[in-house]
């Protein structure tokens, strides 16, 4: 009876995942879903031998790996020939007919070409056994563990024999915007387009990190399968029976003229889609005809990709502003008269650097053409010179920093100009803000408006100064009261306990040292003292040789440690009493069943929270005080707030009840 119930739960949860992640049509509230999940988890704890390969608990991210394994493709993953005009599409049809016997009816299919990364999936007897990227076409990289964290992908299905599928891993535009917003807030570089985001997320060495990216899958080919129908459109529809996420928009067309109409139609609807496409694909429907057509060295002869022109709009350039980043780089940015482009309203465009502005002769007041070619930030691609009023002067990059007036110099061989003043308020401000971000020291209550005032008044010149702030002083600032000032000071003080040496290193904002490199360095030097006491040259050499850190990054670390003003920033933090213990407070096991996972504990539980933290740390887990990026598991006790649960769901964090916790760590 209970065993039956267990199987039913696995099936039910699978069905609800499909409804939620593939059909976007959930039938249950989160709470109802959690109840099913909790019931299933409880049964698995009581009967570990029952755990089914298709159980949702089997999506728990596996361990971090050192690298991705190479996997040869039995059939190379080819490219597609391209067409950009109607004539080229008709040419494709003509070639197809010439190669096949005369008078034969050829049915085509037309489907969108989603902008993501291609992937191959293999199910054997209904189990997902392999997922690999395209790589160079002949040999890809194995990403099975990462793909298993994508909730739209069934882990098991009812099929006997081999099922080999190909499709696109991609992100919705809105999801990508959220990922980028979080990255911006944490000082990490943003993804330029959904393709980069999908590729980057899929190839992460840590599946737990992939699990937090809102990836989707659209299958566009059934390569091999026992029981496969004889044509493409039917084969894709057949996948619905296995609850596989497949390309849903698919038109069967009896003639190439009809295919052309569908291609244009997809192009016209492009802006209304929740994800980006860069074209549409015309394919011969019947597999038998495809076989006869064969392939060239790089592409099949039975398909062609119709590429849309990049979307463009014309607008006026109102101003060229120069921003100063935390490393002092001056970046020109165009302010534009608002214009609609590819479904969004655009009011800024990147101008990259002064050379580009000179090459294109871009001036204030010009009418410009902006383009969004799969990239998030639009580019100015052209100036309508004939429409120029005539009085605008060419843009000149300031030779002095717009924020502090110090000389801004361009080093030989560099595209960027940098402010030379280490005390520059714009750099200070950006550096202090970076220090407080989530991925760095995670200090709440310190927004840009407050940091501005602190820097302007000279109270804060570098992060260490934050620890000297006193609530009565802070309370005097604009939009501050006693209460909020106390919150600020308390939040700063809380960070003194240490967020782990890796995060402190990231927080320093050393050029080219993001969260990942910071973790590597912290793995070599246990704390700040060890790093500061080492010879900077030796540090750089060791990072480069033993840890495959690139020369540019290694040099940046060396320079930081060698310069008294920059290394002083770290020294002062030590003097201010900031802890640089290796990882989050408490004894830390880098080994242990929960290594690589980060837990947040919330709600009312049977043991004090601190005690649970200790137990989790003892099993190798990190502890997060709140649910945030990087959290892998939320232990939710009684009376947990809905907001927290929602956030956990949004970030793809596993939610566990207290009972489930005891399945992971022994109950004391
Ligand atoms: S069919 C032999 N169909 O486009 C290649 N490809 O430029 C058959 N893509 O690598 C590809 N959506 O990653 C096909 N509906 C679709 C697609 C699609 C996106 C990508 C795919 C492929 C690339 C080729």
């Amino acid at each position: 009876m209970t065993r039956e119930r267990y199987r039913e739960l696995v099936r039910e949860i699978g069905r609800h995942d499909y409804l939620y992640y593939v059909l976007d049509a959930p039938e249950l509230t989160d709470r109802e879903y959690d109840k099913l999940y909790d019931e299933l988890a409880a049964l698995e704890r009581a009967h570990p031998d029952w755990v089914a390969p298709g159980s949702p608990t089997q999506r728990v991210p596996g361990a971090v790996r050192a690298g991705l394994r190479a996997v040869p493709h039995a059939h190379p993953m080819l490219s597609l020939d391209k067409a950009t005009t109607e004539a080229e599409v008709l040419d494709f049809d003509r070639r197809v007919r010439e190669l096949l016997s005369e008078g034969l009816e050829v049915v085509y299919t037309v489907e969108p070409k989603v902008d993501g990364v291609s992937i191959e999936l293999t199910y054997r007897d209904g189990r997902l056994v392999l997922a690999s990227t395209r790589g160079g076409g002949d040999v890809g990289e194995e990403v099975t563990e990462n793909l298993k964290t994508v909730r739209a992908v069934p882990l098991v299905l009812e099929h006997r024999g081999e099922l080999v599928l190909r499709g696109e891993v991609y992100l919705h535009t809105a999801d990508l915007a959220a990922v980028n917003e979080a990255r911006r807030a944490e000082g990490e570089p943003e993804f330029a387009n959904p393709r980069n985001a999908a590729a980057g997320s899929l190839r992460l060495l840590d599946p737990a990190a992939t699990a937090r990216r809102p990836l989707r899958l659209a299958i566009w080919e059934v390569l091999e399968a026992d029981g496969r129908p004889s044509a493409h459109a039917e084969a894709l529809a057949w996948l619905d029976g296995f609850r596989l996420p497949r390309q849903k928009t698919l038109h069967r067309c009896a003639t190439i003229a009809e295919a052309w109409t569908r291609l244009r139609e997809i192009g016209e609807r492009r802006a209304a889609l929740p994800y980006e496409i860069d074209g549409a694909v015309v394919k011969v429907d019947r597999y038998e005809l495809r076989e006869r057509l064969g392939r060239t060295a790089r592409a099949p002869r039975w398909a062609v990709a119709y590429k849309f022109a990049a979307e463009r709009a014309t607008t006026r350039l109102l101003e060229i502003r120069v921003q100063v980043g935390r490393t002092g780089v001056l970046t020109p940015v165009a302010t534009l008269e608002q214009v609609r482009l590819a479904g969004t309203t655009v009011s800024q465009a990147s101008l990259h650097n002064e050379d580009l502005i000179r090459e294109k002769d871009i001036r204030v007041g010009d009418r410009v053409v902006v383009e969004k070619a799969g990239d998030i930030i639009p580019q100015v691609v052209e100036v309508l010179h004939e429409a120029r009023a005539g009085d605008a002067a060419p843009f000149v990059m300031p030779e002095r920093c717009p924020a502090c007036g110090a000389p801004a110099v361009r080093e030989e061989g560099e595209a960027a100009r940098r402010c030379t003043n280490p005390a520059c308020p714009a750099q200070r401000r950006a550096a202090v803000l970076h220090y407080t971000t989530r991925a760095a020291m995670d200090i709440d209550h310190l927004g840009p408006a407050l940091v501005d005032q602190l820097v302007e008044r000279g109270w804060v010149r570098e992060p260490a100064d934050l620890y000297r702030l006193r609530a009565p002083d802070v309370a005097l600032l604009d939009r501050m009261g006693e209460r909020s000032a106390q919150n600020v000071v308390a939040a700063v003080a809380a960070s003194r306990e240490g967020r782990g040496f890796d995060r402190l290193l990231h927080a320093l904002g050393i050029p080219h040292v993001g969260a990942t490199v910071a973790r590597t360095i912290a793995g070599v030097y246990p704390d700040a003292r060890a790093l500061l006491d080492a010879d900077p040259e030796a540090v750089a050499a060791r990072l480069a040789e033993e840890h495959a850190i690139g020369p540019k990054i290694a040099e940046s670390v060396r320079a930081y440690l060698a310069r008294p003003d920059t290394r002083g920033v770290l020294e002062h933090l030590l003097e201010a009493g900031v802890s640089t213990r290796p990882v989050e407070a408490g004894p830390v096991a880098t080994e242990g069943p929960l290594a690589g996972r980060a837990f947040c504990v919330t709600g009312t539980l049977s043991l004090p929270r601190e005690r649970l933290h200790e137990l989790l740390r003892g099993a190798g887990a990190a502890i997060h005080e709140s649910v945030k990026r990087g959290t892998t598991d939320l232990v939710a006790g009684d009376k947990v707030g809905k907001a927290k649960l929602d956030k956990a769901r949004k970030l793809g964090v596993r939610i566990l009840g207290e009972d489930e916790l005891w399945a992971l760590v022994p109950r004391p």
Side-chain angles (χ1 to χ4, degrees):
M1 174 58 207
T2 37
R3 180 105 197 224
E4 206 153 286
R5 173 66 184 152
Y6 174 71
R7 293 205 187 101
E8 184 184 327
L9 284 168
V10 172
R11 268 196 309 278
E12 267 305 278
I13 293 174
R15 190 172 72 85
H16 288 296
D17 278 343
Y18 180 65
L19 287 166
Y20 189 95
Y21 293 102
V22 182
L23 302 184
D24 267 335
E27 282 177 4
L28 297 185
T29 63
D30 288 359
R31 198 168 265 283
E32 287 163 340
Y33 178 94
D34 289 345
K35 247 181 97 178
L36 292 183
Y37 196 106
D38 290 347
E39 189 185 345
L40 170 127
L43 284 176
E44 288 188 348
R45 267 192 316 282
H47 309 277
D49 54 316
W50 286 5
V51 178
S55 162
T57 59
Q58 302 307 298
R59 286 191 200 276
V60 173
V64 180
R65 294 142 302 175
L68 301 175
R69 186 170 72 90
V71 247
H73 294 295
H75 301 275
M77 291 183 84
L78 302 173
S79 310
L80 285 173
D81 284 334
K82 289 171 192 57
T84 51
T85 61
E86 182 178 8
E88 285 170 2
V89 173
L90 296 178
D91 263 358
F92 161 72
D93 172 57
R94 201 180 33 75
R95 280 196 306 275
V96 165
R97 288 166 176 288
E98 273 170 16
L99 286 164
L100 298 170
S101 51
E102 204 125 323
L104 191 79
E105 272 185 30
V106 184
V107 172
Y108 292 107
T109 60
V110 172
E111 64 203 78
K113 185 169 180 300
V114 179
D115 200 8
V117 282
S118 36
I119 184 143
E120 181 173 296
L121 288 80
T122 305
Y123 286 87
R124 196 160 295 136
D125 287 334
R127 293 218 192 156
L128 177 62
V129 291
L130 184 67
S132 55
T133 62
R134 177 175 188 274
D138 291 315
V139 181
E141 287 170 317
E142 173 171 4
V143 289
T144 318
E145 286 306 311
N146 291 3
L147 200 78
K148 278 186 177 172
T149 68
V150 176
R151 302 280 274 266
V153 175
L155 302 180
V156 296
L157 39 82
E158 303 224 342
H159 179 268
R160 293 238 131 253
E162 289 258 313
L163 183 58
V164 184
L165 309 162
R166 285 183 181 171
E168 207 76 1
V169 171
Y170 68 104
L171 287 93
H172 273 193
T173 315
D175 290 339
L176 174 59
V179 167
N180 270 341
E181 198 183 305
R183 290 175 73 84
R184 197 162 45 241
E186 293 175 8
E188 291 189 36
E190 291 173 49
F191 291 114
N193 53 49
R195 190 169 0 100
N196 292 357
S201 306
L202 198 60
R203 298 184 62 259
L204 287 167
L205 294 177
D206 178 5
T210 305
R212 291 190 294 275
R213 301 276 170 81
L215 297 178
R216 298 178 186 249
L217 172 68
I219 294 166
W220 40 250
E221 279 295 321
V222 182
L223 210 63
E224 284 172 48
D226 292 281
R228 180 182 77 162
S230 59
H232 175 59
E234 234 186 294
L236 279 197
W238 176 67
L239 298 181
D240 291 345
F242 303 114
R243 294 200 189 127
L244 282 159
R246 54 114 174 170
Q247 176 51 256
K248 279 279 192 246
T249 307
L250 181 75
H251 306 284
R252 263 184 107 240
C253 308
T255 62
I256 197 69
E258 195 186 332
W260 173 245
T261 308
R262 295 300 193 181
L263 287 176
R264 283 209 331 259
E265 212 174 82
I266 292 176
E268 279 156 20
R269 297 207 187 125
R270 181 182 181 192
L273 290 174
Y275 47 85
E276 290 197 27
I277 62 176
D278 58 350
V281 189
V282 188
K283 300 175 182 175
V284 169
D285 192 30
R286 276 178 52 197
Y287 292 131
E288 181 221 331
L289 298 185
R290 290 185 178 187
E291 296 256 314
R292 279 165 54 188
L293 288 163
R295 46 172 276 204
T296 63
R298 64 174 285 276
R301 289 204 186 86
W302 45 261
V304 72
Y306 175 68
K307 293 280 225 171
F308 304 133
E311 290 194 58
R312 292 180 161 201
T314 305
T315 186
R316 190 169 297 282
L317 193 158
L318 301 176
E319 190 191 0
I320 299 178
R321 285 176 298 120
V322 177
Q323 290 177 350
V324 186
R326 74 179 135 83
T327 55
V329 170
L330 272 50
T331 310
V333 180
T335 308
L336 307 169
E337 207 167 85
Q338 286 201 346
V339 63
R340 294 288 295 175
L341 176 62
T344 55
T345 303
V346 165
S347 58
Q348 284 199 9
S350 159
L351 291 169
H352 298 291
N353 55 51
E354 52 191 303
D355 294 346
L356 181 112
I357 300 176
R358 189 171 329 104
E359 269 160 36
K360 299 207 151 116
D361 187 20
I362 302 171
R363 303 188 191 185
V364 171
D366 279 348
R367 285 206 72 77
V368 292
V369 178
V370 285
E371 179 178 292
K372 221 172 174 184
D375 287 352
I376 298 294
I377 304 168
Q379 322 277 322
V380 173
V381 288
E382 198 187 324
V383 175
L384 302 178
H385 287 114
E386 61 284 1
R388 181 176 285 168
D391 53 355
F395 171 77
V396 204
M397 193 71 173
E399 296 197 345
R400 295 193 162 268
C401 169
C404 71
V409 298
R410 187 171 164 180
E411 302 285 344
E412 180 92 31
E414 289 240 334
R417 200 174 273 275
R418 281 174 202 267
C419 166
T420 49
N421 173 14
C424 167
Q427 287 185 55
R428 299 273 184 207
R429 170 181 182 276
V432 171
L433 265 179
H434 172 70
Y435 184 82
T436 66
T437 51
R438 275 270 168 88
M441 296 302 275
D442 196 8
I443 306 178
D444 280 343
H445 305 291
L446 259 175
L450 178 57
V451 171
D452 272 352
Q453 296 186 64
L454 294 172
V455 173
E456 262 166 36
R457 291 185 179 234
W459 293 357
V460 171
R461 276 159 298 126
E462 56 179 285
D465 297 332
L466 292 171
Y467 296 94
R468 271 192 287 278
L469 292 174
R470 293 175 342 112
D473 298 332
V474 176
L476 300 174
L477 298 173
D478 282 354
R479 278 175 292 162
M480 278 283 134
E482 254 170 55
R483 183 67 183 272
S484 39
Q486 275 162 10
N487 286 340
V488 169
V489 172
V492 170
S495 73
R496 190 184 254 128
E497 259 318 292
R499 299 282 189 246
F501 182 41
D502 57 332
R503 284 174 54 185
L504 180 66
L505 268 172
H506 177 202
L508 295 176
I510 304 170
H512 311 299
V513 177
T516 313
V517 174
R519 265 197 297 279
T520 305
I521 301 175
V524 184
Y525 297 91
D527 58 29
R529 201 63 268 158
L531 185 63
L532 286 166
D533 288 346
D535 170 30
E537 302 281 346
V539 172
R542 186 161 171 202
L543 292 176
E545 278 156 32
E546 292 171 33
H547 303 277
I549 297 269
K552 200 161 148 187
I553 303 175
E555 166 53 24
S556 176
V557 174
R558 187 204 62 75
Y560 189 93
L561 293 173
R563 281 177 54 160
D565 57 340
T566 46
R567 65 182 282 129
V569 171
L570 183 52
E571 299 266 15
H572 300 157
L573 285 166
L574 291 184
E575 286 158 20
V578 176
S579 156
T580 78
R581 263 174 295 185
V583 194
E584 315 223 17
V588 172
T590 46
E591 311 244 305
L594 302 182
R597 285 165 74 172
F599 282 72
C600 173
V601 181
T602 186
T604 314
L605 295 144
S606 66
L607 288 179
R609 193 170 306 178
E610 283 310 317
R611 183 81 186 94
L612 292 174
H613 286 176
E614 264 172 45
L615 290 169
L616 286 165
R617 282 198 192 100
I623 300 300
H624 286 178
E625 293 298 335
S626 61
V627 173
K628 56 192 171 188
R629 247 170 54 96
T631 311
T632 56
D633 299 79
L634 174 70
V635 179
D638 279 351
K639 303 198 193 108
V640 50
K642 172 149 174 18
K644 246 193 192 130
L645 288 174
D646 283 349
K647 180 152 190 211
R649 288 208 164 241
K650 219 172 107 205
L651 295 175
V653 174
R654 266 279 305 275
I655 301 169
L656 310 170
E658 185 174 340
D659 282 354
E660 284 167 287
L661 180 64
W662 302 129
L664 299 172
V665 291
R667 190 176 198 139

